[in-house]
Amino acid sequence: RTFGMGESNLDAELADIARQGDVSLGFRTAFPDNFLRPVARGATASEAEAKLARVCDLIRGRLGPLIYGSAAETMEEVVGGLLREQGKTLAVAESCTGGLLGERITAVPGSSDYFLGGVVAYADRAKAALLGVSEQALREHGAVSEPVAIAMAEGVRERFGADLAVSTTGIAGPGGGTEAKPVGLVWVGFSDAGESTAQVFEFPLDRSRHRMATAQVALDWVRRALLGEERVALRYLRRSR
């Protein structure tokens, strides 16, 4: 299971591996993820299994943290497992995702071990009252901005006493965009004891998929933070300048 690279790019990235004798790679897209299915053939089952193990090692070495799981694992299950293993807790602050992020996290049995809670602060006054976002930041930069995304993440982490926090604020559409801030623009914020940061993306998607992609990015940021990996932009959706 991979997230962050489109099927065509995956195919190109792994083309040489697929040519290494009796090995084929199948791809399936289930937005926002891409699933990779390697198949190896041999004269015996043990020979095929040995080839498959080697190919899988090569793929993992090539794709690194773009691979987040295997079999039926979901991103939220992987994130939950890492949080539990490391004894860390998580809180979320949501605007454009409207509770989708919290719903996905709590769909995992036992999520109460690591998920402390979340705030859906859709209106500006809710962001100020519930998360401590300054009225000056909202007035000068707008709700969909770097300072507000960071303040949301910091505010929810502080209020819940969580180790990590993520935030989402964007314009899911189909209306509400401007020339300066078009439909599809979204900021994802992150905060832990070491840093508070945010990145901007532009997802040219319908409202439903925009929310799905944003929630997946937020979960992936938590996963990458727990693994000590760099938080990166998606390679198959356009990142705003």
Side-chain angles (χ1 to χ4, degrees), residues 43-216:
T44 64
S46 59
E47 179 184 330
E49 287 171 0
K51 288 182 180 180
L52 186 61
R54 180 181 59 81
V55 168
C56 287
D57 286 343
L58 289 171
I59 292 172
R60 292 188 185 98
R62 184 74 56 84
L63 298 183
L66 287 170
I67 299 174
Y68 73 81
S70 60
E73 287 180 300
T74 63
M75 181 71 81
E76 50 266 37
E77 288 172 336
V78 171
V79 168
L82 289 169
L83 286 166
R84 183 180 287 110
E85 288 171 10
Q86 297 184 25
K88 298 290 182 64
T89 55
L90 174 68
V92 301
E94 303 184 64
S95 185
C96 62
T97 47
L100 177 61
L101 186 54
E103 192 281 329
R104 288 184 57 180
I105 294 167
T106 56
V108 180
S111 54
S112 58
D113 291 345
Y114 48 82
F115 184 59
L116 299 185
V119 174
V120 179
Y122 215 62
D124 284 3
R125 63 178 180 272
K127 292 178 176 68
L130 301 177
L131 296 170
V133 179
S134 74
E135 293 184 1
Q136 181 180 355
L138 289 164
R139 183 173 58 253
E140 293 184 358
H141 302 282
V144 183
S145 65
E146 180 179 17
V148 170
I150 290 175
M152 288 173 66
E154 290 178 338
V156 80
R157 186 170 76 88
E158 178 182 342
R159 281 155 177 74
F160 282 92
D163 295 306
L164 302 92
V166 284
S167 64
T168 63
T169 179
I171 306 169
T178 65
E179 184 175 349
K181 295 183 178 182
V183 170
L185 191 75
V186 63
W187 282 90
V188 175
F190 175 85
S191 179
D192 64 11
E195 67 170 333
S196 293
T197 186
Q199 283 190 26
V200 64
F201 303 93
E202 191 176 329
F203 297 159
L205 302 165
D206 61 76
R207 184 178 182 86
S208 176
R209 291 194 301 161
H210 182 277
R211 295 172 72 244
M212 290 171 62
T214 301
Q216 191 78 338

